[in-house]
């Protein structure tokens, strides 16, 4: 099922309160060449990020406990975590003050769009891990300035 080759095994953290979604995404990402970790809410996610080097986070916004919005605020306040790309997965996904600086995919998600977004995100990362090439015009853009949507990756 791998549509986008992963040049080196990247570690992805899946954050969703639904264990079935976490398991399904984990299976898909492992098949695509990623390693994964799972968290059931934002608090578990922050603990996982503190102990494991993570290349990207897949984040549901609506969870009990520490929800996605609170996770994003805490992540932004920590310079070590602020540069980790986040893909927000939500049925109500839209740009808002708390999702600026994230990539956004609406649920139900197109798996090909998710894999393409991950692949383009990692392929474009420069030596400055905060800088990602803008996939729409090729100019550098900083994570935190622009969202990438499925249209930006050609889907």
């Amino acid at each position: 099922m791998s549509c986008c080759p992963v040049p080196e095994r990247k570690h992805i953290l899946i954050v969703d309160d639904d264990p079935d979604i976490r398991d399904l995404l984990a299976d898909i990402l492992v098949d695509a060449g990623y390693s994964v970790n799972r968290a059931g809410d934002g608090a578990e996610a922050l603990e996982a990020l503190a102990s494991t080097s993570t290349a990207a986070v897949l984040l549901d916004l609506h969870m009990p406990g520490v929800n996605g919005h609170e996770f994003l605020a805490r992540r932004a306040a920590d310079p070590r975590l602020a540069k980790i790309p986040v893909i927000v997965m939500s049925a109500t996904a839209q740009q808002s003050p708390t999702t600026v600086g994230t990539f956004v995919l609406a649920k139900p998600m197109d798996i090909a769009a998710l894999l393409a977004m991950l692949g383009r995100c990692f392929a474009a990362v420069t030596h400055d891990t905060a800088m990602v090439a803008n996939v729409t015009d090729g100019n550098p853009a900083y994570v935190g300035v622009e969202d990438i949507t499925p249209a930006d990756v050609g889907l």
Side-chain angles (χ1 to χ4, degrees):
M1 175 190 281
S2 178
C3 77
C4 306
V6 181
E8 62 182 71
R9 198 162 176 87
K10 302 281 188 186
H11 187 77
I12 310 296
L13 175 61
I14 302 165
V15 187
D16 198 301
D17 59 322
D18 185 330
D20 293 333
I21 291 176
R22 289 193 309 262
D23 292 344
L24 174 65
L25 287 172
D27 290 344
I28 290 166
L29 292 174
V30 167
D31 285 347
Y34 295 97
S35 64
V36 299
N37 195 4
R38 301 169 182 99
D41 68 15
E44 286 180 28
L46 291 166
E47 288 175 23
L49 290 177
S51 64
T52 305
S53 177
T54 302
V57 176
L58 302 182
L59 177 69
D60 184 25
L61 291 180
H62 305 289
M63 299 177 288
V66 177
N67 66 35
H69 296 287
E70 188 173 344
F71 167 84
L72 289 170
R74 290 184 188 183
R75 172 190 155 266
D78 186 333
R80 296 173 301 116
L81 305 180
K83 294 181 179 182
I84 298 172
V86 174
I87 297 175
V88 170
M89 314 172 298
S90 176
T92 60
Q94 59 185 350
Q95 191 171 18
S96 71
T98 58
T99 63
V100 168
T102 66
F103 311 117
V104 178
L105 276 176
K107 283 184 178 177
M109 239 173 322
D110 178 329
I111 297 305
L114 171 63
L115 294 175
M117 191 175 288
L118 281 170
R120 289 294 294 265
C121 175
F122 297 138
V125 173
T126 67
H127 293 294
D128 176 358
T129 58
M131 190 173 19
V132 175
N134 176 331
V135 297
T136 58
D137 66 12
N139 293 320
Y142 286 87
V143 173
V145 175
E146 175 174 278
D147 290 359
I148 295 178
T149 67
D152 295 325
V153 293
L155 299 171

